Amino acid sequence: MKHSILIILGFLLVGFSAVSQNLVTGTITDENGQPIPGANILEKNTNNGAVSDFDGNYSLKVSDNALLVFSYLGYKTQEILVNGKQNISVSMLNDNAQLDEVVVIGYGSVNRDKITSSISTVGGEEISKVTASNPAEALQGKAAGVQVLSSGGNPGASPQILVRGITTNNGSQPLIVLDGVMLPDGTSLNFLNPADIENFQILKDASASAIYGSRASNGVVLVTTKRGKEGKAVINLDVSYGAQHLEKIQMAGAAEYIKAVNLRRTNDGGQPLYDPANITTDTDWWNEVIENYAPVVNANLRASGGSEKINYAGSLSFFDQESSYAKGWYQKVTGRFNVDFKISDKIKLKQDLSPRMERYENTPGALYNLLRIDPLTEVYLPQSERIGRNSYSIYAPSNNNVPNPVGNIARQFNETLFFGFFSNTQLDYDITPELTFTTQFGLNISNARSDAFTPEYFTTPNQQNEINTVTRNTNQNLDYVLNNTINFKKTINEKHYINLLGGVLYDAQNYNYLNASRDGVPDNENPDLRYIDAALGEGITVSGNESQDNILSGIFRTIYSYDNRYFMTGSVRVDQSSRFPKDNRTGVFSSVSFAWDIDSEDFFKSSVINNLRLKVGVGEVGNQNISRSGQFFSVGSDSYVFNGDRVVTSFLSQFGNTRLKWETVRDQNIGIETSLFNSALDFSVEYYKKTSEDLLFNVELPNYTGIPGLVAQNVGSFQSEGLDLQIGYNKQMGDFTLGLDFNVSTNKSKALELAPGNEQIFGQKREDLGNRFIKITQLGQTVGLFYGFKSDGIFQNQTELNSHTSENGTSIQPNAQVGDIRFKDANNDGLLNDDDLQVLGNPFADFYGGLTANLQYKNIDFSMQWYGTFGNDVFNYPTTFLYSGIQDVNIAEGALNSVWSPENTGAKYPRLTQLDRNGNYQRPSDLFIEDGSYLRLRNIQLGYNFNIPGFQKCRLYVSGQNLLTFTNYSGFDPEVAAGGNVINDFGIDYARNPVTKTYLLGLNLTL
């Protein structure tokens, strides 16, 4: 009924408008009086419009009081009130919008045409198209040289941002700066509402980021939020509802599983384990554990406006995402309130307040056990066996000792409540028209509380918890910055532009935590008693500590340009950090960059090329990411029994390094930017090389030194180099608008120098793979490569087996049988041992990039975004069991067709074996290495704009995320989660929860 009324009202309004319309005609020309065909003329706040013809002429019926909007790509948009006029001709002015755009840089802003360094911009409109808990996900594929590494598909998962590769062993996350306030290392962008973001500016090279000194070695992400503008109040509501879906992973049913288990034994000369006639259970664990569709809700309400004296903006948002399991969810409520006061002609005050609350229940890591548990196990015990058991002990134990995933989920209780508050106060005082003093105080407070409960339960003697435990962990952070800067800007004789900045800055970060647990909650079932005070057991643990980091800094920057042709930027920052000993606390970081607008030279004549700029820059930034206690000696205590008595002793638990100093990254960048065909086509390409020196490593010293544990040292050097290419195309053709943006990047990060005496660093030791490491970093090689044994096919017959010998005829693999893997004796010594381990693959892509397309035709808009990586390898860890059935775990559906047998000699995987004496699946090898290249449709959206009286804008849209993925990878998701340490963790598929397909319906209304 309501829809019918709206339609009738719409027809009445259209009819009324038709009655009062007048015909307006005119001609659209450029600054030289030449006609502009294809210019757009639109009656504002309506769909009534026209396009100029070949001679620049147009005609349009409008109302007497209409406001006409004249626009054309490459020219400034103009608005003219009709006011009864019947002829309106317009001379369009060239719009160097891209050059006139104000770009936020460190501690200030500047027109884009003054930029001499490498900065990428991603607008808020693009960010808001992706519905996610973390706006960083919207950066994936949007900026050349910027990788967004997945942390899996859990609700609230926070991806990692990697800017131009790896130059350090101590975390690769960039510095996050929110409206000029530096945030603590490792800050997640979860707390931000994507709808509040005006844009991201990513400072990629040292000439751009050196102004941030010690915190900028991994790049800088500047986040600018939306502010109010002078004019009438604008209220916007954006709501969307969606469903997330995990594609089912097909595992073997009971019949195939029994065949595999029995075959594993008979291949080794044993007897079958199961008689198929006696098996009646066939549990589909995926259906028992996974929810088909998990909802996601996003709602944003925003109001902004202002007057000559006061501008304001405020927003409230709510985000709710469920996991694909019975437990696991993430919720956040954020607010952002900005007010800009013009106190006088000389003084302006900005005040930002941003409270937020996040709640989440940890998503179960159940996929690993879901895949491994046998289908012959029931979910629950029979009713007769549940007598005397509590509700957490009624789940059936599996036949293969894999924990029951349904029971594990039921016994998981872990929730976190997070409160945060961000405040930014900034005062600008214009001492003279050219000289401005700015003082800024930023405050960031957070308080997180995590509560966990482990119930008492019994399944088997190996799967039980005899006494329940309740735990509470609290973390409190208080961070603040105080920035005082003075800025001088002046243009002399219309040729010389000078911009000078100086300042003194102070950054303090305070951490405080308290953890406590106690066992013996009197009621295992009552959630109201899950508090430490209610517990009665003697098992009590308490820990707590606090720490503080301080950085005092001085900065200076100069920006100079001559005749808008030659540009120079130079900066120096001096940092003093409390993380280093007194004599080495000071670090000096400088940079310089130049740009030349070749198209501005008299000798350059081209009707095709509009802009052509060459830029080059060098600089250095620092890294202080080492343990806060690295410089200190620590004393520990322990107790021993001596002559029957307990003796408490003290010992040196940590050896401090009083010579610690800054890790430094030196950066070189050269690039060229150009625009063609009336700025319809933009192109840029940049080459960079970053070299880090005095790397901060925790090094284990030789035993003969008597020094315990790891000692922080400055050793080693990494280098990262690559190429960034970005192409953009924007064209308006009548009612149709097309925008394309393509970027592709290459990167290679390698180790130039490691700790003295060490030529390699290992990572990811796996006990189930012979207690061997599967990651290695070697001198001169890419960091974090895969490491293991190379295979040379599968032994097809006894002749091949007999011929695999050393020079003296000794069998290299004496335990192998036909159908097992033939491993390469890499050093040809006639033995297969750890001396034959070698590099197997590279988890980092040869190149990666994205394509974004935006199309609009009248009231319909369409966008899609693709992202891909090419040439990267993945260590597919689930292969260790999916095709082997090792320890009688379940196998992938159809695995029997993929393993070797006398009838299937061309199989990829070796024979099924219970004993696996050859170590087919008990040693790291290239059997587990696969090509992880993929191309994914990250986001697709179709919108329709329509009119409702009283609203400025109404838009309905449908959207999909991660709908299509093209890859040869056999695992569940080629976008493998990054893990905590990019070097050691990236590229290993441990069957974490994959990203989901998401389907959304949304509505945007603007008053």
Side-chain angles (χ1 to χ4, degrees), residues 289-308:
V289 174
I290 300 296
E291 307 284 346
N292 281 334
Y293 291 94
V296 57
V297 178
N298 188 38
N300 300 289
L301 178 64
R302 176 179 171 79
S304 64
S307 62
E308 182 181 356

Side-chain angles (χ1 to χ4, degrees), residues 344-645:
S344 69
D345 291 339
K346 289 183 173 292
I347 301 176
K348 299 182 183 68
L349 177 66
K350 296 180 179 180
Q351 178 62 62
D352 302 348
L353 299 175
S354 181
R356 62 190 186 275
M357 181 188 74
E358 298 176 55
R359 294 177 64 237
Y360 57 88
E361 180 181 61
N362 284 356
T363 299
L367 186 61
Y368 181 62
N369 286 336
L370 181 157
L371 301 175
R372 296 166 65 244
I373 191 169
D374 66 271
L376 310 184
T377 297
E378 295 279 1
V379 177
Y380 300 98
L381 291 170
Q383 287 289 346
S384 59
E385 297 182 26
R386 300 187 196 181
I387 299 172
R389 292 174 175 260
N390 64 32
S391 63
Y392 304 112
S393 304
I394 63 174
Y395 301 93
S398 67
N399 298 297
N400 58 6
N401 294 318
V402 173
N404 185 319
V406 177
N408 274 3
I409 293 172
R411 292 187 286 263
Q412 175 179 304
F413 300 94
N414 193 317
E415 292 188 17
T416 298
L417 178 63
F418 178 93
F419 288 97
F421 179 78
F422 176 82
S423 171
N424 180 25
T425 305
Q426 179 175 319
L427 180 70
D428 297 324
Y429 174 48
D430 294 332
I431 303 172
T432 69
E434 297 84 16
L435 189 65
T436 301
F437 170 76
T438 298
T439 183
Q440 181 183 37
F441 178 71
L443 179 67
N444 189 27
I445 302 172
S446 63
N447 189 324
R449 187 191 77 200
S450 296
D451 291 303
F453 175 70
T454 304
E456 171 199 344
Y457 72 95
F458 178 88
T459 302
T460 69
N462 294 326
Q463 296 179 24
Q464 64 171 317
N465 185 50
E466 294 182 351
I467 186 168
N468 59 37
T469 305
V470 63
T471 303
R472 171 165 287 186
N473 300 329
T474 63
N475 289 274
Q476 296 177 330
N477 295 341
L478 188 154
D479 316 306
Y480 62 90
V481 299
L482 181 61
N483 301 331
N484 291 287
T485 60
I486 191 164
N487 191 204
F488 176 79
K489 298 179 183 179
K490 189 174 180 63
T491 300
I492 302 173
N493 296 331
E494 298 183 355
K495 293 281 189 180
H496 304 273
Y497 171 80
I498 300 173
N499 185 328
L500 304 176
L501 174 76
V504 178
L505 322 168
Y506 181 72
D507 180 10
Q509 300 178 17
N510 301 271
Y511 309 86
N512 184 305
Y513 74 89
L514 179 65
N515 303 332
S517 67
R518 189 172 185 177
D519 57 30
V521 175
D523 190 333
N524 202 47
E525 311 283 343
N526 190 346
D528 294 332
L529 293 178
R530 292 170 187 170
Y531 296 94
I532 291 176
D533 274 356
L536 303 174
E538 296 181 358
I540 302 174
T541 60
V542 179
S543 63
N545 209 334
E546 64 179 345
S547 60
Q548 183 180 53
D549 291 338
N550 301 308
I551 299 178
L552 178 64
S553 310
I555 59 172
F556 175 76
R557 179 178 61 214
T558 179
I559 300 173
Y560 171 78
S561 70
Y562 173 73
D563 199 24
N564 281 327
R565 284 187 290 173
Y566 312 108
F567 306 86
M568 185 276 291
T569 302
S571 69
V572 177
R573 177 166 176 141
V574 180
D575 280 333
Q576 287 191 325
S577 171
S578 61
R579 289 202 183 185
F580 296 102
K582 184 176 181 180
D583 293 339
N584 289 333
R585 285 183 177 170
T586 302
V588 180
F589 310 100
S590 59
S591 72
V592 63
S593 57
F594 302 91
W596 175 29
D597 275 359
I598 303 173
D599 61 286
S600 297
E601 299 291 350
D602 293 338
F603 64 78
F604 187 88
K605 304 292 183 183
S606 175
S607 59
V608 175
I609 300 175
N610 310 116
N611 300 295
L612 182 61
R613 168 173 290 196
L614 175 68
K615 58 184 182 181
V616 60
V618 295
E620 56 186 15
V621 288
N623 188 351
Q624 61 164 2
N625 287 339
I626 197 71
S627 170
R628 298 177 185 88
S629 59
Q631 60 180 300
F632 301 113
F633 293 82
S634 299
V635 176
S637 63
D638 207 339
S639 60
Y640 303 89
V641 177
F642 185 73
N643 290 334
D645 298 323

